[in-house]
């Protein structure tokens, strides 16, 4: 009987060692996958944040240029000299131009929204609202000789600047926070 125990104990010890090795190996692979995914996601977020900031700066600049005095004079001249309903054509041009200016920012906002985190998503909500404000302010009085309504545009630019600062702060916090695989679940 002692001989059987002498064979049984090392066999059980070997089996426990094999099972522990499998468990530890799986844990290491899972941990490494989480680390690599976290690094990939962090890089994707940084790229998306920078692309959104670039699109945002371009968008605000184009909205400002659109209501620049020289551009307004050109638009009024086109509306007044157009045969037919020139002011309706002017309104259509303004609406199309504001839509074209806003589209790249909307696309960049969607990309950032896909990547998170929640704090950046909340900041994107403010950017989205500011973008809508810029678009609406620029369209006020479109198709009318009183276009543009500069007080509304200036207020929209102020809200856009404030939303950009909120977004920058959220991005900075998300970027400066080191990834921690132990916090990740899944």
């Amino acid at each position: 009987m002692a001989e059987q125990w002498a064979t049984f104990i090392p066999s059980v010890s070997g089996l426990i060692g094999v099972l522990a090795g499998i468990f530890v190996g799986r844990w290491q692979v899972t941990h490494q996958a989480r680390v690599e995914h976290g690094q990939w996601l962090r890089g994707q977020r940084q790229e998306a944040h920078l692309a959104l900031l670039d699109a945002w700066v371009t968008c605000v600049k184009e909205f400002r240029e659109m209501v620049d005095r020289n551009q307004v004079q050109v638009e009024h001249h086109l509306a007044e000299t157009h045969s037919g309903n020139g002011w309706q054509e002017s309104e259509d041009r303004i609406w199309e131009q504001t839509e074209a200016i806003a589209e790249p920012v909307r696309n960049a906002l969607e990309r950032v929204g896909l990547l998170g985190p929640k704090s950046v998503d909340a900041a994107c909500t403010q950017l989205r609202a500011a973008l809508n404000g810029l678009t609406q302010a620029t369209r006020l009085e479109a198709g009318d000789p009183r276009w543009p309504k500069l007080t509304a545009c200036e207020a929209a630019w102020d809200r856009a600047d404030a939303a950009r600062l909120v977004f920058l702060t959220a991005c900075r916090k998300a970027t400066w926070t080191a990834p921690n695989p132990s916090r990740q679940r899944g």
Side-chain angles (χ1 to χ4, degrees):
M1 186 79 155
E3 291 176 15
Q4 290 175 345
W5 283 109
T7 306
F8 178 73
I9 291 176
S11 299
V12 169
S13 297
L15 182 61
I16 291 172
V18 167
L19 292 175
I22 291 171
F23 177 76
V24 169
R26 284 192 65 168
W27 179 83
Q28 286 177 327
V29 168
T30 303
H31 179 75
Q32 182 64 28
R34 285 183 180 158
V35 168
E36 289 177 10
H37 177 72
Q39 291 171 344
W40 172 84
L41 184 59
R42 184 181 172 112
Q44 292 295 311
R45 285 176 175 167
Q46 288 172 344
E47 287 178 23
H49 297 167
L50 291 174
L52 176 54
L53 285 172
D54 287 343
W56 185 259
V57 168
T58 301
C59 171
V60 172
K61 179 183 171 201
E62 289 178 359
F63 272 120
R64 286 181 185 266
E65 289 173 353
M66 189 174 173
V67 296
D68 178 64
R69 180 186 315 213
N70 294 331
Q71 186 62 31
V72 170
Q73 287 175 349
V74 169
E75 187 62 42
H76 283 200
H77 176 73
L78 288 172
E80 291 168 356
T81 59
H82 185 272
S83 60
N85 190 348
W87 288 108
Q88 181 61 46
E89 293 292 324
S90 173
E91 182 177 9
D92 293 344
R93 273 192 304 274
I94 291 168
W95 278 68
E96 288 172 11
Q97 190 174 358
T98 56
E99 198 59 35
I101 291 171
E103 188 65 26
V105 174
R106 287 190 192 111
N107 293 339
L109 280 166
E110 287 175 359
R111 182 173 179 216
V112 170
L114 288 172
L115 298 170
K118 290 180 182 179
S119 60
V120 175
D121 287 342
C124 283
T125 300
Q126 290 187 22
L127 280 178
R128 195 172 287 108
L131 178 63
N132 290 338
L134 284 169
T135 304
Q136 291 171 359
T138 306
R139 289 176 176 174
L140 281 176
E141 305 292 340
D144 190 285
R146 296 176 292 189
W147 179 83
K149 191 161 185 146
L150 289 177
T151 55
C153 290
E154 289 170 2
W157 294 330
D158 291 342
R159 285 190 301 275
D161 288 341
R164 181 178 177 269
L165 288 176
V166 169
F167 178 74
L168 278 173
T169 302
C171 288
R172 195 174 291 129
K173 183 180 178 187
T175 302
W176 289 356
T177 303
N180 185 353
S182 64
R183 286 189 302 203
Q184 297 176 0
R185 303 256 192 266

